[in-house]
Amino acid sequence: FESKRKVQKREKRVFDMLPESKMTFEELTDWYLNQEKVKALKSFATVRVYIGKFNQKFSSSIVGDIKLADLENLQAKRLREGMKPKTVDDELNYAKGMVIKAFDNDLVGGDVLKTFRRVKKTLKAHSNRRDRVLTVQEFKTLHGKSPRHLQDILTMAYWTGMRKGEIINLTWDRVNMKERFIRLEASDTKEGQGKTIPLGDDIYQVLNRI
């Protein structure tokens, strides 16, 4: 029994040494937003806005003290205030992204990461999808009557399903012409998830010409 108590005391000291046991979310945010790789994100302004919203509630909270119920209560409060489910999910996703970065840099432990990963989305699957897709003939009509500077964008949108922002902000480092695919990172997409998009002949010809 005495030996077990010594182990428990030793473990308690280890837990107390973890940064998350003393660091507030505001302090974690300051560290995260000052990372050069984070500041270089195209979505940096959006990241800062959403994490700022999250800190309106949790800025003074100790990172290690946050519980799943706290995050679920925040979701319920946002919905009650009239916020759209997608926006509620985005707020939690950006906060989770910060926690993942902190975990990768040994600033928080697995328990904190697990708490954020266990939060369920408020937006039901496929409820935000588009109602319909243009037929090929409708697309050809639209393409033919559009200004020249829009035609390549429309071609990209129709044959890849990429969003307007993903197309307009696309850079060559995301394009693999040899293997014929586009690889978008999580920071490039509205949903905050990376994705790989194959290049069909129409898209390949557009990119090859450019």
Side-chain angles (χ1 to χ4, degrees):
F1 176 78
E2 182 64 24
S3 176
K4 183 177 180 180
R5 289 294 297 163
K6 288 180 179 179
V7 171
Q8 290 174 334
K9 288 181 179 180
R10 186 164 61 250
E11 289 177 344
K12 182 63 164 61
R13 286 197 297 272
V14 170
F15 293 146
D16 287 343
M17 290 170 62
L18 287 172
E20 68 193 53
S21 65
K22 297 181 179 180
M23 180 170 48
T24 65
F25 271 98
E26 186 174 27
E27 292 170 335
L28 179 60
T29 298
D30 289 341
W31 169 83
Y32 179 69
L33 294 181
N34 278 295
Q35 298 303 301
E36 292 300 326
K37 191 169 184 179
V38 175
K39 289 192 288 187
L41 295 173
K42 294 177 182 178
S43 59
F44 180 70
T46 303
V47 171
R48 187 165 52 185
V49 168
Y50 275 102
I51 292 181
K53 285 179 174 290
F54 186 81
N55 268 286
Q56 290 175 3
K57 173 67 176 177
F58 292 110
S59 61
S60 60
S61 300
I62 299 299
V63 176
D65 290 346
I66 195 72
K67 299 293 186 290
L68 177 61
D70 298 323
L71 300 179
E72 291 174 339
N73 286 336
L74 176 64
Q75 288 177 309
K77 180 175 183 292
R78 296 295 195 226
L79 292 173
R80 191 167 60 251
E81 292 171 345
M83 195 175 287
K84 293 182 179 180
K86 178 67 168 62
T87 306
V88 175
D89 291 343
D90 284 344
E91 180 180 356
L92 267 296
N93 282 336
Y94 282 113
K96 181 170 68 174
M98 179 173 68
V99 169
I100 291 173
K101 184 76 170 180
F103 176 78
D104 290 340
N105 284 272
D106 300 321
L107 292 180
V108 304
D111 286 344
V112 175
L113 181 60
K114 182 175 67 175
T115 296
F116 277 80
R117 283 183 166 167
R118 288 173 62 191
V119 180
K120 295 181 180 179
K121 293 182 177 181
T122 59
L123 184 67
K124 295 181 180 179
H126 308 308
S127 62
N128 201 37
R129 67 176 11 168
R130 276 41 176 180
D131 291 333
R132 65 185 294 270
V133 176
L134 294 179
T135 65
V136 174
Q137 187 55 51
E138 287 174 329
F139 166 70
K140 288 181 177 179
T141 301
L142 175 63
H143 185 275
K145 293 185 177 182
S146 297
R148 180 68 188 86
H149 69 279
L150 286 182
Q151 290 179 351
D152 288 344
I153 294 176
L154 290 171
T155 299
M156 289 283 291
Y158 187 74
W159 293 110
T160 67
M162 293 170 64
R163 298 176 184 273
K164 181 179 71 173
E166 296 170 351
I167 297 171
I168 293 175
N169 295 313
L170 183 64
T171 52
W172 286 112
D173 60 306
R174 299 292 194 255
V175 181
N176 187 325
M177 294 293 285
K178 183 178 180 179
E179 302 294 334
R180 296 181 61 147
F181 68 82
I182 295 171
R183 174 59 189 172
L184 298 181
E185 302 297 334
S187 59
D188 300 321
T189 68
K190 184 177 180 180
E191 60 268 29
Q193 297 179 350
K195 55 187 176 184
T196 300
I197 303 163
L199 299 181
D201 290 341
D202 291 316
I203 303 303
Y204 182 82
Q205 290 172 12
V206 167
L207 293 174
N208 193 49
R209 185 179 71 253
I210 295 173

